[in-house]
Amino acid sequence: MTPAGPARVLEIICCSLEDAIAARDGGADRLELCAHLDLQGLTPPLDLVEQIVRAVAVPVRVMIRLNDRFTATESELSAMERQVAAFAALPLDGLIFGLHDNTGRLDFAAMDRVLRHAPAQWGWTLHRAFDFAAGDAAEKLDAVTRHGRADRILSADSWRLAPPPGLQFDFRFIAGGGLDATNLHNYLDSPCREFHFGRAARRTPDPLAPVDARRVGELRKILDRRL
C-alpha cells in the first residue's frame, strides 16, 4: 500500500456567515473572508468577521483590499492600515492581500506598512497580485522569498514552479483561479497541496450566489482521493 501523503487543504471564499457555515459543513479547512466577490474580493466588514470567527471553528484569513485594482492611493493605504489594526484583536489565521507600485511590480514597502499592524503569529497569503505583477515568475518568486514574510502565494499557475537556484521556498502555494469539480483531478498528482475555490463552491456560477455545502463536499471528496 502506498503511504498516505500530506492532506490536501480546501480553502473556500466566503462573503457571509451563511457562506462560512456552509463551507464548514462541506468540509472546508480554511476560509477566505471578503466582500464583493464580483470585484475579486474587497475587505469585509469588521462585524461580519467577528460573527464568523465566533460561530465557525475553521481557520479564517481576511482579504484586505479597497478597490478592484492591485494599487492603492496614499489614503487607501492608510485605510488598509487601519483595517488591519481593527482586525488585530480577532483570532484570525491571517491576511490575504497584495499591492503593486506604479510600475506594476510587487510593492513590498507598501505591503510592509500594512503588515506591521498584523500580529506576528498571523500568516499572510500574497494573492493573485503576484500573478499580475510585472516581471517573470522566477524573479517574483526570488523577491517574495527574500522578503520572507508571506507563508502562502495564491496563484493560477506559479504553483507548478520549483524554487529559483540557490533558494528554498519558505511558503506554500495555493492553486486558485478557474478550479472546479471538473478539472480538479488534473491537479491531484501535482506537488501542490492547497486549493482555493470561489464560484465552484457556490450554488450557481454567479459570484454573488451563496456557498453550497453540497458542492463544497464534492470538492472535499475529490481532494481526499488517493491520499
Side-chain angles (χ1 to χ4, degrees):
M1 179 180 293
T2 302
R8 299 185 182 103
V9 173
L10 173 59
E11 180 177 87
I12 302 296
I13 301 174
C14 298
C15 301
S16 68
L17 176 59
E18 292 74 20
D19 280 355
I21 292 170
R24 177 202 62 194
D25 292 349
D29 298 299
R30 186 169 59 234
L31 310 181
E32 172 188 307
L33 301 189
C34 69
H36 291 287
L37 184 54
D38 54 322
L39 299 178
Q40 303 300 311
L42 303 181
T43 306
L46 175 61
D47 60 348
L48 173 62
V49 179
E50 290 174 329
Q51 289 175 14
I52 290 173
V53 297
R54 284 198 304 265
V56 179
V58 178
V60 165
R61 294 199 176 190
V62 172
M63 176 73 76
I64 303 297
R65 192 166 180 241
L66 291 181
N67 58 51
D68 60 356
R69 306 181 305 277
F70 296 119
T71 56
T73 65
E74 178 61 31
S75 62
E76 287 172 332
L77 191 56
S78 296
M80 293 168 76
E81 292 184 76
R82 292 192 296 272
Q83 288 176 335
V84 174
F87 289 130
L90 299 179
L92 300 179
D93 187 61
L95 303 175
I96 303 166
F97 83 108
L99 291 168
H100 296 170
D101 63 20
N102 58 13
T103 71
R105 295 186 174 273
L106 291 169
D107 191 342
F108 291 101
M111 290 187 283
D112 279 340
R113 280 184 54 179
V114 177
L115 287 167
R116 69 183 179 180
H117 300 282
Q121 71 271 20
W122 283 8
W124 166 35
T125 300
L126 174 56
H127 61 34
R128 294 194 63 198
F130 177 88
D131 284 347
F132 292 101
D136 64 37
E139 174 188 353
K140 293 185 286 187
L141 288 173
D142 179 275
V144 174
T145 301
R146 294 183 186 282
H147 182 250
R149 180 64 174 82
D151 69 337
R152 300 288 191 281
I153 293 179
L154 173 63
S155 175
D157 51 22
S158 291
W159 53 268
R160 298 181 175 89
L161 300 177
L167 291 175
Q168 294 296 318
F169 291 157
D170 291 325
F171 51 79
R172 298 179 184 179
F173 284 109
I174 307 172
L179 274 68
D180 60 30
T182 65
N183 61 26
L184 183 55
H185 66 279
N186 295 323
Y187 295 73
L188 297 185
D189 292 328
S190 77
C192 191
R193 311 303 288 180
E194 305 199 7
F195 301 87
H196 174 90
F197 299 91
R199 294 171 190 254
R202 291 175 148 72
R203 292 180 189 169
T204 72
D206 183 344
L208 300 181
V211 170
D212 186 327
R214 181 183 59 83
R215 289 183 179 273
V216 176
E218 290 173 353
L219 297 168
R220 175 81 271 164
K221 288 178 182 177
I222 296 170
L223 288 179
D224 288 344
R225 291 175 189 166
R226 291 189 310 217
L227 282 175

